[in-house]
């Protein structure tokens, strides 16, 4: 009998005898049922009789991290399947990768250029022993240190992706000098500008975008371009008076003020002289108006003539300027006889 063995030592065995005429001889043979070694991975080995049944376990006592039991003996036996023992049996678990956790830690560079503790920690899942990939989202003012991140997902759940956001630096140009400034850093708009034109002063920066001394949070490149405002400066009005020789002599320089790049004007009526002077409005050297230069060099000029008087001597009339010294004639025309 297959899977059975004759056991002649068994009590009651009658293996031979004399055949009786009446047919009463009875021989008795006992067969021992075969026992087979059964081993389940990770458990004790034990013996079971041929024909006994066992149930394939639903779980394995030893399971690698991140894996799950799929079946036994590479699909020969399903979990929970009833197995009839017909020979030695070793149940070897067939594991497949399960789902394991991994962590994404995000670090942001500070204004000191250093990284502190993670600002966020996110747990994700993926199939064990596969690669998980991550693309960092765009963050204003920062640049991720990699275009794409990856990690092999270990079954122990300890796999980590570390994302470092580098704080951007931007060029800040002040009076021609460039400085690298971190995104989010606060700077002060300059209170003074370089190479201020004469007759102007600093009013603001970048068409009024920033006031001098204003606190500014840097979010991109900045070039400070000064906005200048014209201020009052001096200009001069020169007064020229005619002398008795017919020449003009500088008699006075009057300092006035006006706003740079505006027009300064002067009129004879605004600068009255002694009553014996009259405005020489036709003099080509008059400068009645001019643009005010910031360096104070603008000069206006007004010319005045002496009043002229008619002096008649011996019937001849001559125009003589006020203040001219004349000599009384020693002779007269048409002197009557006897005079």
């Amino acid at each position: 009998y297959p899977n059975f063995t004759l056991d002649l030592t068994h009590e009651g065995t009658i293996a031979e005898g004399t055949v009786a005429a009446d047919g009463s001889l009875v021989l008795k043979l006992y067969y021992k049922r075969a026992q087979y070694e059964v081993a389940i991975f990770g458990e004790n080995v034990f013996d079971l009789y041929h024909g006994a049944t066992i149930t394939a376990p639903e779980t394995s006592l030893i399971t690698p991290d991140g894996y799950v039991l799929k079946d036994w003996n590479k699909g020969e036996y399903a979990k929970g399947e009833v197995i009839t023992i017909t020979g030695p049996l070793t149940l070897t678990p067939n594991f497949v990768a399960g789902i394991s956790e991994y962590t994404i830690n995000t670090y942001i560079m500070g204004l000191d250029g250093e990284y502190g503790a993670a600002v966020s920690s996110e747990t994700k899942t993926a199939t064990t022993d596969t690669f998980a990939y991550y693309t960092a989202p765009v963050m204003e003012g920062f640049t991720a240190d990699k275009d794409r991140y990856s990690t092999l997902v270990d079954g122990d759940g300890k796999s980590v992706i570390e994302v470092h956001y580098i704080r951007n630096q931007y060029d800040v140009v002040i009076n021609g000098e460039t400085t690298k400034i971190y995104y989010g850093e606060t700077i002060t708009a300059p209170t003074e500008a370089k190479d201020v034109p004469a007759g102007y002063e600093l009013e603001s920066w970048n068409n009024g975008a920033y006031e001098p001394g204003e606190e500014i949070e840097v979010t991109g490149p900045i070039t400070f371009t000064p906005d200048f405002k014209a201020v009052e400066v001096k200009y001069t009005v020169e007064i020229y008076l005619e002398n008795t020789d017919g020449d003009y002599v500088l008699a006075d320089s009057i300092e006035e003020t006006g706003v740079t790049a505006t027009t300064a004007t002067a009129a004879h009526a605004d600068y009255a002289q002694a009553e014996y002077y009259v405005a020489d409005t036709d003099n080509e050297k008059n400068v009645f108006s001019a643009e005010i230069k910031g360096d104070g060099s603008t000069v206006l000029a007004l010319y005045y003539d002496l009043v002229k008087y008619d002096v008649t001597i011996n019937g001849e009339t001559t125009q003589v300027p006020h203040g001219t010294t004349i000599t009384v004639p020693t002779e007269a025309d048409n002197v009557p006889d006897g005079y």
Side-chain angles (χ1 to χ4, degrees):
Y1 297 96
N3 299 302
F4 290 87
T5 303
L6 179 63
D7 185 4
L8 295 176
T9 63
H10 191 277
E11 183 181 353
T13 298
I14 302 174
E16 59 184 23
T18 301
V19 176
D22 59 2
S24 60
L25 177 65
V26 176
L27 300 179
K28 295 181 179 181
L29 299 176
Y30 292 86
Y31 286 86
K32 186 177 182 179
R33 185 181 293 271
Q35 283 186 309
Y36 299 109
E37 185 178 87
V38 176
I40 299 177
F41 179 78
E43 300 181 9
N44 294 330
V45 177
F46 52 93
D47 292 328
L48 288 178
Y49 283 111
H50 171 78
T53 60
I54 63 169
T55 301
E58 294 283 349
T59 59
S60 174
L61 291 180
I62 300 175
T63 303
D65 289 336
Y67 282 79
V68 294
L69 178 65
K70 179 182 180 184
D71 50 36
W72 297 90
N73 296 16
K74 297 185 177 180
E76 183 177 357
Y77 305 111
K79 293 185 296 182
E81 181 179 342
V82 176
I83 305 171
T84 300
I85 303 301
T86 58
L89 176 65
T90 297
L91 291 179
T92 303
N94 181 29
F95 297 113
V96 293
I99 300 299
S100 296
E101 292 184 343
Y102 66 97
T103 304
I104 300 172
N105 290 332
T106 299
Y107 301 84
I108 295 179
M109 180 184 287
L111 291 173
D112 59 357
E114 301 294 332
Y115 295 96
V119 297
S120 68
S121 185
E122 182 181 4
T123 300
K124 289 182 172 291
T125 59
T127 302
T128 304
D129 283 337
T130 62
F131 278 93
Y133 297 93
Y134 179 74
T135 300
V138 175
M139 183 183 296
E140 180 183 351
F142 295 86
T143 302
D145 61 344
K146 294 180 181 178
D147 293 331
R148 195 181 190 202
Y149 301 84
S150 66
T151 186
L152 181 64
V153 180
D154 292 330
D156 59 6
K158 295 181 179 179
S159 298
V160 176
I161 289 175
E162 291 190 347
V163 179
H164 290 82
Y165 280 100
I166 302 168
R167 188 177 291 268
N168 293 342
Q169 286 186 305
Y170 299 106
D171 288 340
V172 174
V173 183
I174 300 176
N175 290 326
E177 296 184 1
T178 302
T179 305
K180 295 284 188 182
I181 302 295
Y182 279 120
Y183 171 86
E185 191 171 347
T186 299
I187 62 172
T188 302
T191 55
E192 296 181 357
K194 188 178 180 181
D195 300 328
V196 180
Y200 290 84
E201 67 180 13
L202 178 65
E203 180 178 33
S204 59
W205 298 92
N206 298 21
N207 295 320
Y210 310 114
E211 295 296 324
E214 179 182 344
E215 296 293 310
I216 303 167
E217 182 178 338
V218 175
T219 57
I222 302 176
T223 297
F224 283 94
T225 303
D227 306 321
F228 295 119
K229 177 179 71 175
V231 296
E232 283 200 348
V233 295
K234 74 177 185 67
Y235 66 93
T236 304
V237 178
E238 294 182 345
I239 305 299
Y240 290 88
L241 302 180
E242 184 185 22
N243 62 21
T244 55
D245 294 329
D247 297 324
Y248 292 91
V249 179
L250 177 63
D252 199 1
S253 290
I254 303 168
E255 188 174 289
E256 303 282 11
T257 59
V259 177
T260 302
T262 61
T263 300
T265 60
H268 286 94
D270 298 329
Y271 300 91
Q273 303 300 312
E275 60 185 8
Y276 42 81
Y277 283 100
V278 294
D280 184 1
T281 57
D282 295 330
N283 195 309
E284 293 182 352
K285 294 183 179 181
N286 283 317
V287 180
F288 295 115
S289 65
E291 182 179 291
I292 299 175
K293 297 178 181 179
D295 60 2
S297 63
T298 301
V299 176
L300 304 183
L302 298 175
Y303 284 78
Y304 293 82
D305 290 337
L306 283 169
V307 174
K308 306 297 190 299
Y309 304 108
D310 288 341
V311 175
T312 303
I313 299 175
N314 292 324
E316 292 184 4
T317 301
T318 306
Q319 289 274 310
V320 178
H322 175 88
T324 301
T325 300
I326 63 173
T327 301
V328 178
T330 56
E331 295 182 358
D333 290 341
N334 303 318
V335 178
D337 291 338
Y339 287 87

